[in-house]
């Protein structure tokens, strides 16, 4: 049996990716699309400004977009995927949760609230247990679950793999080279970034530093506690369309060899959820490897590519790359939706 789902913010860059992933999904059926008031009342194909390289699925194109309010979404659509701008998400996600909808959200608002699980299923699916506290404290019939920022999702699974292998994480330095699709629709279409590299973008650095510690922290049955590791991030934009590349330096309580690190990455377990790739982390080590458009497609855009593992002055150094709008955004929300269904929250 499929679960009827809706997309909040269906016309945006991540909303379009959600539709691309949800339309053929064996467990979900798209039954509601919401967007801004200007788009409401129109067929999706007339307002979407579709920019994905496969056509708009025919049935989706004919659906009428509604306003982003609980009243506009049918009651028999229990699960909503939110890709709203964070300012909008901060206003409208709560009313949806109050009205009984389970919201799997990619929007950055509320990610660090103590009773909002921030989840990468392969890393910390157990944090969903905090929903009991959320429902009790907020009196919601619905629920709010977040996936992290796309840059956070790119490097945290590699840290989780090291922790899983018993390597104690003390200090992490991460520098990002982020694709323009992370900046949303305008970033891609404006072309203003072409032939330019932009340092110190937005509020990205703080997000990587705080979200990573929450993701790797423990839920003890009553509260989510952050991991104690120290994280310093430097975030930069480069002129590529999709795929965030990150350079990571870690100091650990042990002294793992590069080979042990590669093994930890390669052996980190995946899940049997539909969108969870096997393996989760692909380890590349060939030095002459041609780069363009290979790494971001591993695992159909849902895996992490890692390589360049070597000893450095700061312990171990490596790089990792993930598709930012698939693994890092729409795919991350869909995967959280699959976990919510599997765990009985929907
Ligand atoms: C970027 N990572 O590349 C951002 C976009 O917190 O979900 C996603 C922002 C977020 O600019």
């Amino acid at each position: 049996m499929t679960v009827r789902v809706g997309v909040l913010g269906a016309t945006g860059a991540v909303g379009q990716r959600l539709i691309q992933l949800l339309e053929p999904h064996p467990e979900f059926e798209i039954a509601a699309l919401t967007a801004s008031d200007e788009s409401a009342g129109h067929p999706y194909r007339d307002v979407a400004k579709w920019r994905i390289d496969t056509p708009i699925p025919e049935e989706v194109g004919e659906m009428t977009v509604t306003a982003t309010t609980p009243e506009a979404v049918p009651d028999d659509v229990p699960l909503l995927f939110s890709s709203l701008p964070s300012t909008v998400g901060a206003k409208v996600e709560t009313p949806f949760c109050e009205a009984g909808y389970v919201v799997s959200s990619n929007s950055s608002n509320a990610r660090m609230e103590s009773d909002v699980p921030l989840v990468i299923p392969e890393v910390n699916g157990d944090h969903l247990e905090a929903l009991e506290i959320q429902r009790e404290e907020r009196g919601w019939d619905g629920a709010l679950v977040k996936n992290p920022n796309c840059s956070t999702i790119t490097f945290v699974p590699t840290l989780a793999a090291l922790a899983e292998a018993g390597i104690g994480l003390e200090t992490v330095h991460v520098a990002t080279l982020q694709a323009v699709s992370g900046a949303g629709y305008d970033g891609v279409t404006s072309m203003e970034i072409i032939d330019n590299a932009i340092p110190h973008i937005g509020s990205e650095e703080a997000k990587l530093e705080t979200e990573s510690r929450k993701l790797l922290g423990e839920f003890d049955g009553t509260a989510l506690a952050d991991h104690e590791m120290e994280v310093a991030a430097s975030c930069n934009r480069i002129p590529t369309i999709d795929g965030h590349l990150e350079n990571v330096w870690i100091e650990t309580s042990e002294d793992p060899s590069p080979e042990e690190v590669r093994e930890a990455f390669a052996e980190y377990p995946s899940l049997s959820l539909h969108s969870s790739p096997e393996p989760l982390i692909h380890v590349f080590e060939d030095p002459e490897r041609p780069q363009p458009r290979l790494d971001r497609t591993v695992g159909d855009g849902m895996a992490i590519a890692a390589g360049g593992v070597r000893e450095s002055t700061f312990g171990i150094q490596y790089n990792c790359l993930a598709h930012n709008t698939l693994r890092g955004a729409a795919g991350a929300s869909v995967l959280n939706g699959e976990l919510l269904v599997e765990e009985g929250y929907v």
Side-chain angles (χ1 to χ4, degrees):
M1 204 178 91
T2 55
V3 176
R4 283 162 63 76
V5 301
V7 179
L8 309 182
T11 54
V14 177
Q16 296 186 11
R17 282 281 186 207
L18 279 166
I19 287 167
Q20 183 192 29
L21 296 176
L22 290 169
E23 197 275 335
H25 198 290
E27 297 164 23
F28 299 132
E29 176 197 349
I30 300 175
L33 302 174
T34 85
S36 64
D37 289 346
E38 298 82 65
S39 298
H42 297 281
Y44 183 72
R45 74 169 74 259
D46 291 353
V47 291
K49 298 191 184 125
W50 189 256
R51 65 175 184 83
I52 290 181
D53 53 10
T54 52
I56 300 180
E58 197 165 324
E59 282 183 24
V60 174
E62 286 163 15
M63 288 176 66
T64 301
V65 174
T66 71
T68 306
T69 62
E71 300 74 34
V73 174
D75 291 343
D76 66 347
V77 179
L79 176 61
L80 303 175
F81 294 97
S82 172
S83 58
L84 296 162
S86 59
T87 48
V88 181
K91 287 189 195 134
V92 310
E93 286 177 349
T94 292
F96 278 100
C97 297
E98 286 169 347
Y101 298 95
V102 174
V103 180
S104 173
S105 171
N106 177 66
S107 307
S108 62
N109 55 289
R111 279 186 189 145
M112 296 308 294
E113 290 183 15
S114 60
D115 62 345
V116 175
L118 181 67
V119 174
I120 301 173
E122 298 94 337
V123 170
N124 66 332
D126 63 310
H127 284 200
L128 280 191
E129 291 168 33
L131 288 179
E132 310 275 328
I133 296 165
Q134 185 188 89
R135 283 178 162 165
E136 201 173 304
E137 287 183 355
R138 304 197 189 211
W140 289 349
D141 291 328
L144 180 61
V145 172
K146 294 277 167 173
N147 60 262
N149 183 332
C150 40
S151 307
T152 310
I153 293 178
T154 302
F155 82 115
V156 164
T158 62
L159 301 182
L162 299 174
E164 176 89 359
I167 298 167
L169 300 162
E170 293 184 340
T171 308
V172 178
H173 300 255
V174 54
T176 71
L177 304 163
Q178 298 181 215
V180 290
S181 57
Y185 199 71
D186 293 335
V188 176
T189 52
S190 68
M191 304 291 276
E192 64 195 18
I193 187 173
I194 298 302
D195 197 23
N196 196 4
I198 302 174
H200 192 59
I201 45 174
S203 56
E204 290 289 289
E205 293 169 356
K207 288 182 190 171
L208 269 71
E209 291 165 1
T210 55
E211 292 176 10
S212 56
R213 297 179 68 236
K214 181 172 179 177
L215 283 157
L216 294 182
E218 295 283 330
F219 178 65
D220 69 2
T222 55
L224 293 165
D226 287 350
H227 193 287
E228 286 179 349
M229 67 184 178
E230 294 180 279
V231 184
S234 166
C235 296
N236 308 286
R237 184 84 62 203
I238 55 162
T240 189
I241 301 295
D242 289 315
H244 287 357
L245 172 61
E246 306 187 355
N247 297 111
V248 185
W249 295 259
I250 50 164
E251 295 171 74
T252 61
S253 53
E254 291 72 26
D255 198 11
S257 67
E259 188 49 40
E260 286 169 323
V261 170
R262 280 190 282 271
E263 265 177 41
F265 289 166
E267 288 172 8
Y268 188 62
S270 191
L271 295 175
S272 58
L273 295 171
H274 175 74
S275 302
S276 190
E278 178 60 51
L280 174 60
I281 304 173
H282 282 250
V283 182
F284 289 112
E285 279 306 327
D286 35 333
E288 303 301 327
R289 177 168 53 94
Q291 287 286 338
R293 299 186 180 217
L294 291 178
D295 292 2
R296 73 183 185 204
T297 61
V298 289
D300 290 333
M302 286 297 286
I304 315 292
V309 183
R310 69 174 179 85
E311 283 175 29
S312 80
T313 314
F314 299 110
I316 289 287
Q317 169 183 331
Y318 59 92
N319 60 65
C320 49
L321 185 149
H323 196 300
N324 54 301
T325 58
L326 290 173
R327 180 74 218 197
S333 285
V334 170
L335 196 52
N336 279 351
E338 293 170 18
L339 184 66
L340 284 159
V341 172
E342 167 127 330
E343 296 293 321
Y345 291 98
V346 175

